[in-house]
Amino acid sequence: MSAAVTAVSSNGVYAFTKPNRKSITLLAGLGVEGDVHAGVTVKHRSRVARDPAQPNLRQVHLIHEELFAEVAAAGFEVAPGALGENVTTTGIDLLSLPVGTLLGLGAEAVVEVTGLRNPCVQIDAFQDGLLRQVVGRDASGAIVHKAGIMSVVRTGGVVRPGDPITVELPAGPHRRLERV
């Protein structure tokens, strides 16, 4: 299966979920046009409270659609945009990508992977018990964050459902994703 965009979402106001759109426009160095989290400096409320001058490493949030099937098996119903992501993907193991990976989204847009989404208690407010499904432990006991990855926009462009995704890994050695 080829990697592809399955849905795009944005919201101009602070809300946990983001409505699906026919397309979104990524703006270089800023994020998703019209989205509340777009900007050069951090826009997430908890991070703004700590230091509003921090660089925004969370301009575009991507989640793999395969997560929805995984949580459905545990009795949860999650659809694209429901967990606040901007881009829902299929056919790509987002969580295994190293920091600095470039993802081509459609014909023009390119985002650079900065790290893992740090899931918060709002996920349980959305559906009680869901947080435990998106934060787990691997066989060695290490914490695994499954709620997607964060990125910054390097090259702007329009992104639509059905668009292909290309992957360009950074030169080694590769750094594992950490929460941003």
Side-chain angles (χ1 to χ4, degrees):
M1 173 190 296
S2 298
V5 174
T6 60
V8 293
S9 311
S10 67
N11 202 338
V13 298
Y14 283 104
F16 185 70
T17 61
K18 295 188 180 198
N20 295 154
R21 308 288 182 191
K22 291 180 181 179
S23 68
I24 57 174
T25 300
L26 301 186
L27 303 173
L30 294 174
V32 179
E33 182 177 48
D35 191 82
V36 70
H37 293 112
V40 174
T41 57
V42 69
K43 301 301 176 199
H44 287 75
R45 290 177 174 168
S46 62
R47 286 162 169 58
V48 168
R50 274 185 281 180
D51 178 4
Q54 293 178 71
N56 188 1
L57 301 178
R58 301 166 58 100
Q59 293 174 357
V60 180
H61 176 197
L62 298 93
I63 282 187
H64 51 296
E65 187 174 67
E66 292 81 0
L67 177 65
F68 305 155
E70 182 181 326
V71 300
F76 296 91
E77 187 176 331
V78 178
L83 296 180
E85 77 275 12
N86 301 109
V87 178
T88 309
T89 68
T90 189
I92 181 172
D93 184 0
L94 296 174
L95 304 178
S96 71
L97 297 173
V99 172
T101 298
L102 299 177
L103 298 176
L105 305 174
E108 299 173 338
V110 177
V111 298
E112 180 180 338
V113 176
T114 57
L116 295 168
R117 176 192 184 180
N118 187 22
C120 65
V121 295
Q122 286 182 329
I123 292 176
D124 270 347
F126 172 67
Q127 286 185 43
D128 190 39
L130 184 57
L131 181 60
R132 188 171 294 127
Q133 299 298 314
V134 298
V135 177
R137 296 196 179 268
D138 65 15
S140 69
I143 295 175
V144 177
H145 294 88
K146 303 178 196 176
I149 63 171
M150 307 308 285
S151 64
V152 295
V153 181
R154 292 297 177 220
T155 305
V158 176
V159 182
R160 296 176 181 84
D163 280 349
I165 300 172
T166 59
V167 178
E168 182 181 331
L169 296 174
H174 293 164
R175 289 188 302 134
R176 284 181 48 140
L177 295 178
E178 296 179 6
R179 294 175 299 156
V180 294

